[in-house]
Amino acid sequence: MAISSQEVLDSDVSHSDWKRFQIAYFSMEIAVAPDIPTYSGGLGVLAGDTLRSAADTALPLIAVTLVHRKGYFRQHLTADGVQTEEDQPWNPEAMLQPLAPVAAITIQGHPVMVRAWRKDIVGVDGHIVPVIFLDTDLDTNDAWDRELTDHLYGGDTFYRLCQETVLGMGGVAILTALGCQPIVYHMNEGHASLLTIGLLEEQVNGGNLLDATAADLDAVRSHCVFTTHTPVPAGHDRFSFDQARQVLGDERTQALEKFGCCHDGMLNMTYVALRFSRYINGVAMQHGRVSSEMFPEYNVHAITNGVHAATWIQPAMQILLDEKVPSWRRDNLYLRFAIGIAPNEIRSRHSEAKRQLISTVAERTGVSLHEDRFILAFARRAAAYKRADMLFSDPTRLARLAEECGGIQIVYAGKAHPHDDLGKDIIHHVIEASAQLNSDWLRIVYLENYEWELGAILTGGADLWLNTPRRPYEASGTSGMKAAMNGVPSLSTLDGWWIEGCIEGATGWAIAECDDETQEAESLYEKLENEILPLYYHYPDKWAEIMRMSMAINGSFFNTHRMLYQYVTNAYFPGDAPLRRKFQPELVLTR
Ligand SMILES: *Cc1c(COP(=O)(O)O)cnc(C)c1O
């Protein structure tokens, strides 16, 4: 059912020339806008920030994801800390532009029709990065197939494999139908790795996949780049051969087996991506190393994640930066020049963001926090390895140090995946412990439904950003980067990005590396009691200097402009001067 390119152009509002997109970025989740619930957490926010930076830096990039008509989920918490979940239906028809082509892909032995929607991300100079949302909700599909693009990370492994087939194979088919001819296909995590089979099918052009030659495989590899995000083997997507055969059919399953995409008797999506990529990377220095050990037969590079500065810096601070370092929007590296801003100006802009956080807490919980008291925030997915309850391992000590040091206000937020009982237990424990500990000196609140806008308010308005992952489970982490850009230092175990970002006493503090969790908690209390709280309450000028260094030193590096520059140089077009030169005219023209 391919549609001629003329029809595509006719239906396409901005008449873009699809051929000019040289990089196709595939991600199961993308945080495109706060009111589009097609993301669950860090992976989707990273994808969205990547696209926003691609638009700012005029990269010829197009993105592909699923439409997720029912979103991820809205979290509700009962007074005693039990999480319940609700769908987040949204209306793509009202918010996206329809595209003409419909592609047919084979799932479970029959054709499933995939259509697409488009939303443009517009950069600082007007450059456009289109996001293609794949959708199977067509009345020509049967009821089961129509629901394949409903729930992000919903359903069971069978549903997931069907979704990954839509993303990978459907995405390649739609791009081809649009007339896109990307040079680079970037898989953001293994969910997208079936795109390689889509490309291999195009390569063998109707032939049997099992007859693909080494040259065919190399042709696919020459286009593919893979970013892995998970530092533990159990985190990688795997499916039984049985399921693979049911969903993908015998030929593709045998081909995947023949080409080394299986591991421990399972189809392993990470191995699919590894096998078919010419460049592979982890998302921080240590994560690259850990991944190399996990996949010794592959050369795994590292490109440390970042965040999109203009998305995450709070409005009051943005105004200050526009005055003092106007180039920061086009080039986030200029945040380094925040070192030339007076610390008290940074502190006063941060106070505005802090008041916003305080009023959000009041609106949502009825609890009034004090502006002149220290606010510590802990907000992230409630996964067991993040150890949200480490602060409560010695409640008496926490209560005592809050009283002796001048007061602590703690704001929590975070969702547990609906199937993650351990994560739900942690939320329950935090809320229970909070209820017992609340006093004049120690105020603890847990905010419902952590998502984009709440994340921005928290990372912008807190005084300290806390993170306590069990090493080496945090591949990168990005919320601390958002905090840093807002002048908010971190206290964290040395894991993920913090290994690179922590300059002790200058950009924040490290929780000591101990084998034993009690000792780590001990170090957490000790840093709060002996260094952080005394500095905050008694040496405000020194504190403001730390805020400034967080922005200047960490903000200027841990951003997606720098990250994308590294992808272009090392992953997309390594050593390929003619191709890289191709960007330059575009960069100049759009200014
Ligand atoms: C930034 C962000 C994340 C990722 O933060 P981590 O530090 O990687 O846990 C998750 N959820 C939301 C809503 C975010 O804004």
Side-chain angles (χ1 to χ4, degrees):
M1 267 185 90
I3 294 206
S4 80
S5 57
Q6 191 50 50
E7 284 175 73
V8 173
L9 283 176
D10 286 343
S11 77
D12 170 16
V13 183
S14 71
H15 290 253
S16 77
D17 171 13
W18 297 100
K19 281 199 179 57
R20 77 190 163 83
F21 298 109
Q22 299 178 356
I23 306 153
Y25 181 90
F26 279 60
S27 183
M28 183 58 90
E29 49 170 314
I30 303 181
V32 175
D35 53 353
I36 298 186
T38 55
Y39 68 96
S40 82
L43 186 71
V45 170
L46 175 80
D49 282 359
T50 301
L51 305 185
R52 284 179 276 280
S53 281
D56 286 347
T57 55
L59 268 190
L61 184 147
I62 185 168
V64 180
T65 189
L66 303 188
V67 73
H68 302 301
R69 284 174 175 275
K70 305 267 169 70
Y72 183 49
F73 72 88
R74 186 181 311 284
Q75 177 199 50
H76 296 289
L77 295 168
T78 64
D80 51 355
V82 176
Q83 170 178 301
T84 58
E85 298 111 21
E86 194 191 340
D87 283 349
Q88 304 167 284
W90 65 293
N91 190 0
E93 284 75 3
M95 301 174 73
L96 310 177
Q97 301 163 15
L99 291 172
V102 176
I105 56 170
T106 307
I107 299 182
Q108 291 184 269
H110 64 265
V112 174
M113 297 300 172
V114 182
R115 67 173 304 190
W117 302 85
R118 165 183 184 169
K119 180 160 178 74
D120 290 342
I121 293 183
V122 183
V124 65
D125 291 319
H127 180 85
I128 282 171
V129 166
V131 183
I132 306 297
F133 294 81
L134 305 175
D135 183 6
T136 59
D137 186 20
L138 285 150
D139 50 21
T140 46
N141 285 332
D142 69 29
W144 161 263
D145 294 331
R146 291 182 72 159
E147 290 178 9
L148 288 180
T149 50
D150 272 358
H151 293 280
L152 173 60
Y153 306 140
D156 53 12
T157 54
F158 189 85
Y159 182 77
R160 176 76 74 90
L161 183 54
C162 291
Q163 284 193 320
E164 294 189 8
T165 308
V166 175
L167 177 63
M169 320 252 338
V172 167
I174 286 283
L175 288 184
T176 300
L178 283 169
C180 272
Q181 297 166 340
I183 300 166
V184 178
Y185 286 79
H186 185 171
M187 291 166 262
N188 187 42
E189 188 54 308
H191 311 130
S193 62
L194 288 174
L195 75 82
T196 62
I197 300 304
L199 293 177
L200 189 62
E201 287 183 359
E202 289 190 351
Q203 177 68 24
V204 299
N205 199 14
N208 192 313
L209 284 177
L210 291 159
D211 299 331
T213 62
D216 290 328
L217 301 185
D218 279 346
V220 172
R221 282 185 82 242
S222 72
H223 292 295
C224 293
V225 165
F226 171 47
T227 302
T228 175
H229 292 263
T230 318
V232 283
H236 297 266
D237 248 352
R238 293 174 301 176
F239 302 98
S240 71
F241 285 128
D242 228 31
Q243 265 178 2
R245 268 190 299 270
Q246 281 180 59
V247 175
L248 297 167
D250 284 335
E251 182 187 327
R252 290 175 186 151
T253 305
Q254 281 169 29
L256 286 163
E257 215 174 337
K258 176 177 173 185
F259 300 138
C261 304
C262 300
H263 192 72
D264 291 341
M266 308 276 278
L267 170 60
N268 184 310
M269 303 320 261
T270 301
Y271 278 85
V272 179
L274 291 169
R275 181 67 185 86
F276 283 102
S277 293
R278 66 167 165 77
Y279 181 93
I280 301 153
N281 72 288
V283 290
M285 176 181 74
Q286 173 186 255
H287 181 236
R289 264 200 308 259
V290 169
S291 302
S292 294
E293 281 162 24
M294 212 167 8
F295 312 114
E297 61 278 46
Y298 296 95
N299 185 11
V300 184
H301 303 268
I303 295 177
T304 303
N305 281 344
V307 297
H308 183 250
T311 300
W312 296 106
I313 295 179
Q314 285 306 282
M317 199 69 85
Q318 294 207 9
I319 292 167
L320 178 64
L321 287 169
D322 284 338
E323 273 167 33
K324 306 286 181 185
V325 200
S327 305
W328 74 277
R329 289 180 188 274
R330 182 173 293 114
D331 182 354
N332 292 174
L333 284 159
Y334 277 111
L335 288 172
R336 193 68 177 74
F337 289 7
I339 210 73
I341 303 177
N344 64 348
E345 290 199 68
I346 289 172
R347 182 172 46 209
S348 98
R349 299 311 168 104
H350 174 262
S351 299
E352 284 184 49
K354 187 170 177 178
R355 283 194 286 276
Q356 162 79 56
L357 168 56
I358 289 170
S359 77
T360 302
V361 169
E363 272 162 34
R364 294 194 181 195
T365 66
V367 174
S368 324
L369 302 182
H370 297 289
E371 194 190 328
D372 52 0
R373 284 218 186 145
F374 185 75
I375 297 183
L376 176 157
F378 186 104
R380 47 189 45 83
R381 210 155 38 84
Y385 80 85
K386 300 205 185 223
R387 301 187 294 188
D389 50 0
M390 187 189 272
L391 257 180
F392 299 128
S393 51
D394 185 349
T396 323
R397 178 151 186 201
L398 178 64
R400 180 179 56 75
L401 83 86
E403 183 167 350
E404 287 174 2
C405 294
I408 304 181
Q409 313 177 98
I410 305 174
V411 184
Y412 270 102
K415 297 174 177 177
H417 185 278
H419 298 160
D420 182 4
D421 291 332
L422 274 178
K424 290 182 178 181
D425 285 349
I426 290 178
I427 295 177
H428 184 72
H429 180 208
V430 168
I431 291 178
E432 223 175 33
S434 309
Q436 285 163 12
L437 281 168
N438 266 313
S439 72
D440 285 348
W441 297 103
L442 184 58
R443 278 263 166 269
I444 308 165
V445 294
Y446 201 113
L447 302 180
E448 272 182 345
N449 203 40
Y450 181 49
E451 38 69 67
W452 176 328
E453 281 167 321
L454 181 57
I457 291 169
L458 285 165
T459 48
D463 291 305
L464 182 74
W465 196 253
L466 176 67
N467 196 12
T468 49
R470 182 177 293 127
R471 287 167 296 125
Y473 286 65
E474 185 93 313
S476 165
T478 52
S479 56
M481 302 175 182
K482 300 168 193 165
M485 286 184 175
N486 281 285
V488 176
S490 283
L491 167 64
S492 171
T493 39
L494 281 173
D495 200 14
W497 82 284
W498 194 233
I499 294 170
E500 298 156 56
C502 179
I503 304 170
E504 184 76 12
T507 59
W509 298 267
I511 295 170
E513 302 193 31
C514 313
D515 296 328
D516 158 41
E517 240 170 83
T518 321
Q519 280 175 301
E520 284 191 336
E522 179 77 18
S523 164
L524 160 61
Y525 293 129
E526 218 228 313
K527 289 271 155 97
L528 278 174
E529 183 167 1
N530 299 330
E531 301 192 36
I532 299 169
L533 290 163
L535 205 62
Y536 176 84
Y537 280 115
H538 304 301
Y539 300 93
D541 291 343
K542 283 190 184 157
W543 186 267
E545 181 58 41
I546 286 174
M547 297 180 75
R548 177 166 76 167
M549 280 195 282
S550 296
M551 277 177 85
I553 296 174
N554 281 346
S556 62
F557 184 80
F558 297 101
N559 60 70
T560 33
H561 282 189
R562 182 271 314 156
M563 182 195 84
L564 256 185
Y565 164 77
Q566 290 197 288
Y567 275 103
V568 169
T569 308
N570 301 287
Y572 296 161
F573 306 117
D576 196 337
L579 270 173
R580 239 181 291 159
R581 231 180 292 130
K582 255 185 158 167
F583 294 129
Q584 297 308 324
E586 205 166 359
L587 274 169
V588 174
L589 282 175
T590 53
R591 277 189 189 175

